[in-house]
Amino acid sequence: MNGGLWHLIGSILAWLLVAACVGWLGWLWLRAAEDRPGLIKRWLLSVPPLAFIFLYVGPRLDEGGALGAFIYVGMLVAAGLVLAVIWAPYINDLFSRPLTNIFDGGRTPPDKEPLTSMVEARRKQGRYAEAARLMREQLAECPGHFGGQMLLAEILADDLHDLPGARAVIAEILTQEHHSPKQIAYALTRMADWYLKHAGDVEAARDCFERILRLFPDSPQAHMARQRLAHLPGVERELQRPKVKLEAPRADPHLGVRRTPSSPVRHEPAVEEEVRALVEQLEQFPDDNEARERLADLYAGPCGRPDLAIEQFEELLAQPHVPEAHVARWLNRMADIYIALPQGEAKA
């Protein structure tokens, strides 16, 4: 009696375990399915043939001799064909999907993008506050989108002249870990540009570029930040420089009666003064590529020192993370200098 009871309890527990596993797998299957109503419909259509197989055909396969076995096997095949018709589209899609994903990119939906066309339309109409509000609504649906956040910061800084608001957006971008170093450096560079353009705050701009150097010390972004830092004092002078009155050149009243034409007078700063200023700039900012390239041009031209010009170009080429376009331009300038030298064709 006790043995039969325990056997019954064990059978019930085993069936419950099987039912729980089947239910759990079915839930995972249903949650991952794209066409959930269609999957449920196939499950319901599969119940009658499965019940026919397990409850009617299965117990009778051993009955009726060879003729009975033949009849019941035929019933089993017929029920299997019904199941095949029900599940054939799903099975075909299951096995063909890896191949079709190669060509169509799979069924994973693309990342949701904010609709910036409405925002840009409001900007063109001069409705800047409404444009900023719409952009915030779009970012609520697409949080962390870099382009959308930068557009919002641009509207705040350039259109609404709200530098604290733009700075808050950039600060939020810096806290998000999914952005690339190039995007982070771009955001800080744009913030520095806004400081210079709208507030004339050179120190705040300097902090932005120095932060790029701290975040990405040995990178192309750091190289560009050093170039901008080298020109910040020039920007400061530009902001404080008084206006210059421009006058149109006057023609020589005696030009037609002179025996020899006079050479035009050129009001340019002395080459020595410009070279001295460039050297001082490079002593303070050795990474100023623009100043070093200008110094090399002066050495190669008015100063008549091609050897010093070559040294300057070698300094430029020795820098890490230099853009390829700059490297090609400097190599071409070096080749021009070598060609002008006696027996310099080989080096060119």
Side-chain angles (χ1 to χ4, degrees), residues 209 213 216-231 285 287-288 319-321:
F209 293 123
L213 295 178
F216 317 109
D218 186 20
S219 65
Q221 290 75 34
H223 176 80
M224 298 305 299
R226 282 192 291 269
Q227 299 304 307
R228 294 296 303 272
L229 279 171
H231 287 271
F285 300 100
D287 296 319
D288 188 349
Q319 298 178 101
H321 307 295

Side-chain angles (χ1 to χ4, degrees), residues 146-157:
F146 180 76
Q149 292 178 101
M150 287 305 301
L151 179 57
L152 175 60
E154 182 179 344
I155 294 172
L156 293 173

Side-chain angles (χ1 to χ4, degrees), residues 37 48 50 81 183 214 223 233 258 265 315 333:
L50 288 174
L81 290 175
Q183 291 174 323
R214 291 194 301 269
H223 176 80
R258 294 184 185 275
V265 180
E315 290 281 346
R333 290 289 295 114

Side-chain angles (χ1 to χ4, degrees), residues 287-326:
D287 296 319
D288 188 349
N289 290 353
E290 184 178 343
R292 192 173 297 278
E293 187 174 356
R294 174 58 182 164
L295 181 61
D297 290 337
L298 292 176
Y299 281 150
C303 294
R305 293 296 304 273
D307 55 331
L308 297 180
I310 294 297
E311 290 181 3
Q312 296 302 316
F313 282 118
E314 293 289 355
E315 290 281 346
L316 291 170
L317 293 171
Q319 298 178 101
H321 307 295
V322 178
E324 294 180 357
H326 294 180

Side-chain angles (χ1 to χ4, degrees), residues 51-62:
F52 179 73
I53 292 172
F54 288 103
L55 299 179
Y56 182 78
V57 178
R60 291 173 173 76
L61 284 176
D62 297 333

